[in-house]
Amino acid sequence: MTQAALTHPPAAPAPDAPAPRGGLVRWAIDHSGWLGPICVALFAGLLRFWNLGYPRAFVFDETYYPKDAWSLLRQGYEGTWPDHANADILASPPSVPLSSAAEFIAHPPLGKWVMAIGEQLFGLNPLGWRFMTALLGTLAVLMLARIGRRLFGSTLIGCTAALLMSVDGLQLVMSRVGLLDGIQMFFVLASFGSLLIDRDHTRARLASAADGDAVRLGWRPWRIAAGVFVGAACAVKWNGAMILAAFGLLTVLWDQAGRRGAGARRPWRSMLRRDAVPAFLAMVGSAAVVYVGSWSGWLATGGNGGGGYDRHWADGRAGLSPDSFLGIPLPQVSMSWVPAPLRGLWHYHSQMYDFNTGLSTPHTYQSNPFSWLVVGRPVSMYWEQVPGGQRGCTSSGGCAAQILGLGTPFLWWTACFALVYLLWRWFFRRDWRSGAVLCAVAAIYLPWFQYQERTIFSFYMVVLVPFLCLAVAQMLGAVLGPAGCGPERRRIGAIAAGAIVLAIVGCFAFFYPLYTAQVIPMSSWQDRMWFTSWI
């Protein structure tokens, strides 16, 4: 099946025409735009949901977020837990020693509210707190296939990108643990897809305009949706703010280019006059509403002196905060006209900022962003040594069960070359598709370099995975060859591109035991430690 056939399927026969030979195949081709993505998503879902409740343990930072999610579900804010809470929750029968005393938390609440949906369905147990990350990780694969199809005009390339993400080890691991980053990845990808739809709709309007300078683009619900989704990403973790800024810039640059293509004599001035302010209100305004709304539990549970951490800080105070906020000095003036809960929330954010930027406690698995793209230091999230004769271990040297946050090495190393290819396409060919992917990569990846002293981890890059897969898929499309090239060129390209995909899938299969805590002989575990920095 060629790329051209997938992208431009022949017209279906008239209703009264006899069914052609191979009618089922023809039907599948005609509906490949959805059938292909759904099939890849089902494969990804099988990997993500299979035995999801294993291991029955708190994996890495699951010791924080699932309990916070349960507290939000029961109290509307994050309460405190005793030191023995993990053991109590996993005991048989379990108990939930949640206290109503408020606890300081380091991240906004939306990601934990999302996690709480699974806990409401299945309870406070590993399946419950991992359910939503697995569901969103699966839906992200479906969404990426459709995004790739729209971006590159090819179902084949879109499904290839989705297949690559479905077999990425880091995305699989982060879809099977109760951490926040996989949830944030879903919202960032949804925002990017919404902007693509908005771009297509806007170009259609501009194409029918008589004057590219004067046309008003009017109501743009998909750009508002993009702001809602990226606002949700900010309400999961603050690094979404840089992505909001980058996506806001991207959409107005697309407006400028669209007006120029529609014959505008002064496209920059037209964009600034007619598009910049609406874009700011649509993106930043909707993001701000979503972000503040995510704190509704904290804001609404302050009765009788109770509620979230520092909920009543502003009671009886006229000012906003101490001396600064987010590192910006603040004048000490009366702000009594601002409602006390909002002043308390502002103060709370100042404390969160100080904590997040000042976190420098050494950790065994912390790493520098320079090593992230080449998977230099993955994070071991779960480790258990299994003696011989137990849990199916038949090795005399014993066995190991590990969850390692390791991106599929062949995929990530291929992505390094793909990013170079996209830079070339964007700079020398002015390829807007390459520029869009690179914009997302830069917004997600580059801000981490300013935190050379902070304790940070490579699994933060799960947000980057969809865009790395888009980059690799675009490069593989170039390897396959453009539509209309000779059959020999296409045959060689198909062999080369297929070999790369098979190598990535095989690499994933080799490391699969380390993504799912399978019990394997210690010698097999050592065979998978390709570098000492992985241990």
Side-chain angles (χ1 to χ4, degrees):
M1 186 181 301
T2 66
Q3 175 180 337
L6 284 166
T7 309
H8 303 290
D16 56 346
R21 292 177 62 85
L24 182 60
V25 174
R26 174 61 58 201
W27 179 87
I29 294 175
D30 290 344
H31 295 84
S32 61
W34 276 106
L35 282 179
I38 289 173
C39 288
V40 178
L42 289 174
F43 169 68
L46 179 64
L47 294 174
R48 281 144 187 78
F49 280 98
W50 183 264
N51 202 18
L52 184 60
Y54 172 81
R56 184 174 171 78
F58 285 88
V59 174
F60 202 65
D61 279 353
E62 282 187 345
T63 191
Y64 302 114
Y65 308 126
K67 290 184 291 187
D68 286 344
W70 185 262
S71 182
L72 288 171
L73 193 61
R74 297 305 178 193
Q75 303 180 157
Y77 62 91
E78 293 89 344
T80 56
W81 300 80
D83 293 339
H84 54 81
N86 290 3
D88 291 349
I89 292 169
L90 296 175
S92 183
S95 61
V96 182
L98 172 63
S99 167
S100 61
E103 178 72 25
F104 174 83
I105 52 96
H107 297 296
L110 184 58
K112 290 163 282 187
W113 277 114
V114 172
M115 204 176 297
I117 298 173
E119 294 179 343
Q120 175 67 25
L121 294 173
F122 302 104
L124 185 57
N125 56 63
L127 175 61
W129 65 65
R130 295 169 189 162
F131 176 80
M132 286 305 297
T133 56
L135 178 62
L136 295 185
T138 301
L139 292 177
V141 172
L142 174 63
M143 195 159 47
L144 184 66
R146 296 290 298 177
I147 286 172
R149 183 178 187 270
R150 180 175 290 273
L151 184 63
F152 301 114
S154 167
T155 301
L156 178 62
I157 294 179
C159 288
T160 299
L163 175 64
L164 293 175
M165 188 163 78
S166 70
V167 297
D168 177 63
L170 181 59
Q171 206 270 349
L172 175 69
V173 167
M174 298 304 291
S175 296
R176 291 177 56 88
V177 296
L179 272 64
L180 301 177
D181 304 82
I183 298 172
Q184 186 185 47
M185 177 272 296
F186 174 84
F187 287 130
V188 170
L189 184 60
S191 179
F192 183 78
S194 298
L195 286 181
L196 285 178
I197 298 174
D198 173 73
R199 181 187 184 277
D200 287 349
H201 289 184
T202 301
R203 292 301 173 101
R205 292 184 187 180
L206 289 170
S208 60
D211 186 347
D213 284 307
V215 62
R216 295 182 180 274
L217 296 175
W219 173 250
R220 298 172 65 171
W222 281 106
R223 188 152 71 179
I224 295 174
V228 168
F229 285 126
V230 77
C234 296
V236 175
K237 276 191 167 183
W238 277 0
N239 57 308
M242 296 302 297
I243 303 170
L244 168 61
F247 283 4
L249 179 61
L250 181 66
T251 188
V252 294
L253 290 178
W254 282 349
D255 287 346
Q256 182 271 335
R259 289 184 179 278
R260 184 182 67 241
R265 295 182 299 276
R266 299 179 180 85
W268 281 101
R269 189 177 73 173
S270 299
M271 179 272 289
L272 291 173
R273 289 179 58 189
R274 302 189 183 278
D275 303 323
V277 173
F280 180 86
L281 294 175
M283 295 288 291
V284 178
S286 58
V289 170
V290 171
Y291 182 83
V292 175
S294 73
W295 287 90
S296 58
W298 186 91
L299 291 167
T301 55
N304 299 320
Y309 186 85
D310 261 0
R311 171 63 179 77
H312 297 279
W313 175 88
D315 294 353
R317 299 174 185 260
L320 259 180
S321 70
D323 299 319
S324 65
F325 176 69
L326 306 184
I328 303 172
L330 293 174
Q332 293 304 297
V333 297
S334 174
M335 299 293 291
S336 58
W337 57 274
V338 178
L342 293 180
R343 283 186 282 129
L345 186 61
W346 183 282
H347 172 68
Y348 191 6
H349 276 60
S350 177
Q351 293 178 288
M352 292 169 61
Y353 177 83
D354 291 340
F355 174 84
N356 281 300
T357 56
L359 182 62
S360 58
T361 305
H363 192 284
T364 304
Y365 288 100
Q366 70 183 76
S367 57
N368 192 288
F370 283 103
S371 70
W372 290 354
L373 279 181
V374 294
V375 291
R377 183 59 172 166
V379 176
S380 179
M381 298 188 174
Y382 175 82
W383 169 262
E384 182 184 5
Q385 284 188 281
V386 181
Q390 297 184 17
R391 297 177 54 191
C393 177
T394 59
S395 173
S396 59
C399 297
Q402 183 179 31
I403 297 177
L404 187 66
L406 172 72
T408 303
F410 286 179
L411 172 60
W412 284 65
W413 295 339
T414 303
C416 293
F417 292 98
L419 292 177
V420 174
Y421 169 72
L422 262 64
L423 280 170
W424 177 81
R425 289 280 308 180
W426 172 65
F427 188 79
F428 290 103
R429 298 291 184 88
R430 295 295 187 265
D431 181 6
W432 72 270
R433 303 167 302 173
S434 300
V437 175
L438 289 172
C439 175
V441 170
I444 296 165
Y445 183 40
L446 296 184
W448 289 108
F449 284 90
Q450 65 183 315
Y451 298 112
Q452 293 295 312
E453 304 300 325
R454 189 187 185 276
T455 306
I456 52 179
F457 303 94
S458 60
F459 68 80
Y460 298 164
M461 287 295 94
V462 69
V463 185
L464 189 65
V465 171
F467 303 99
L468 295 182
C469 293
L470 286 173
V472 173
Q474 183 179 359
M475 185 180 71
L476 292 178
V479 171
L480 180 62
C485 65
E488 183 65 17
R489 167 69 177 84
R490 180 58 64 90
R491 185 180 68 85
I492 295 174
I495 292 173
I500 294 173
V501 172
L502 287 176
I504 291 171
V505 173
C507 184
F508 168 79
F510 179 72
F511 284 100
Y512 181 77
L514 300 187
Y515 300 142
T516 55
Q518 292 186 4
V519 177
I520 58 175
M522 188 63 70
S523 58
S524 297
W525 175 82
Q526 292 170 342
D527 290 341
R528 289 163 172 81
M529 295 296 105
W530 288 355
F531 304 97
T532 56
S533 64
W534 290 5
I535 300 175

